[in-house]
Amino acid sequence: MDDRVAATLREDPTMAALIDRHGRLAIEPAADEFARLCTSIVNQQLSTASAAAIRERFLDVLGGDPTPDRVLAADEGALREAGLSGTKVEYLRATAEAFRDGDPDLTREGLADASDEAAVGRLTQIRGVGEWTARMYLIFALGREDVLPLGDLAVRKGIEQVYNDGAELTRGEMREIAEAWRPYQSYGTRYVWAEYES
């Protein structure tokens, strides 16, 4: 996180306190977009601990980092034994096919000129990639700096915890709070997560 980002976020006193507590957090594009998207699919609706364990077993089955060919060649029974549901296996295969075919191009280069909404639209055409997964992809695979993934329960709970003593807020109220972080909402999101998980 550079000084420009820190200066913008620090204009929100609550966020300034989170930066002091958690230090500098980065938003950097993933080295491998496909592998990052696989991780998001594995993580869907799982706690952090079980997601990490299943991801390790998933990589063991693949015999290395995820590539479209490895995912498509993997034995379905072995993937199920690794802890993936049949549905998630289907989602991972659909994602592998989309990346292997490369149409549309879902890499950083391919989506470089697409707005966030257009990128989400392309990603959600893949079976199993919903709004949440697509927004995680924008932040963690593409390294986009101004994404607010309100579909994420931890983000919503975190904003309520940090800004409203845990009391409920509407999504509209959350968007209003996050306006102060623009054009760096992805960074604000990371700080809210860090605080929520600590």
Side-chain angles (χ1 to χ4, degrees):
M1 178 171 83
D2 63 26
D3 294 343
R4 182 176 49 105
V5 178
T8 302
L9 293 180
R10 281 184 179 284
E11 287 172 24
D12 170 352
T14 305
M15 188 54 68
L18 296 186
I19 294 170
D20 291 340
R21 194 168 312 147
H22 298 286
R24 295 208 160 195
L25 300 177
I27 299 288
E28 282 164 3
D32 181 332
E33 299 96 328
F34 173 72
R36 188 64 195 91
L37 188 51
C38 286
T39 298
S40 287
I41 291 171
V42 170
N43 292 356
Q44 286 171 359
Q45 298 168 323
L46 290 176
S47 72
T48 312
S50 40
I54 291 172
R55 185 169 174 278
E56 281 310 303
R57 296 198 295 267
F58 168 59
L59 294 179
D60 286 344
V61 172
L62 296 185
D65 288 331
T67 64
D69 289 338
R70 276 182 182 154
V71 170
L72 291 168
D75 177 70
E76 183 168 350
L79 291 171
R80 296 289 301 273
E81 278 169 31
L84 293 164
S85 64
T87 312
K88 278 193 187 174
V89 172
E90 272 177 50
Y91 293 172
L92 288 162
R93 292 211 157 133
T95 303
E97 280 166 8
F99 270 79
R100 188 190 56 190
D101 299 341
D103 181 36
D105 181 351
L106 301 168
T107 63
R108 212 158 32 253
E109 292 73 37
L111 292 172
D113 297 328
S115 69
D116 289 351
E117 292 318 310
V120 166
R122 284 187 211 165
L123 288 157
T124 52
Q125 285 167 11
I126 303 171
R127 180 166 153 64
V129 176
E131 182 91 6
W132 177 83
T133 306
R135 292 199 186 278
M136 294 297 117
Y137 187 80
L138 294 185
I139 297 173
F140 293 109
L142 304 182
R144 296 209 174 176
E145 296 187 324
D146 198 29
V147 180
L148 181 68
L150 288 181
D152 187 78
L153 182 65
V155 171
R156 295 197 308 276
K157 292 273 183 219
I159 290 173
E160 288 170 347
Q161 175 188 310
V162 173
Y163 286 88
N164 207 36
D165 290 326
E168 214 167 287
L169 291 166
T170 66
R171 289 193 187 204
E173 289 168 324
M174 293 180 195
R175 278 191 199 93
E176 231 163 88
I177 288 166
E179 263 314 298
W181 315 337
R182 275 189 185 278
Y184 304 115
Q185 292 183 111
S186 303
Y187 287 91
T189 297
R190 283 221 58 190
Y191 281 100
V192 165
W193 267 323
E195 183 65 16
Y196 182 68
E197 285 171 1
S198 63

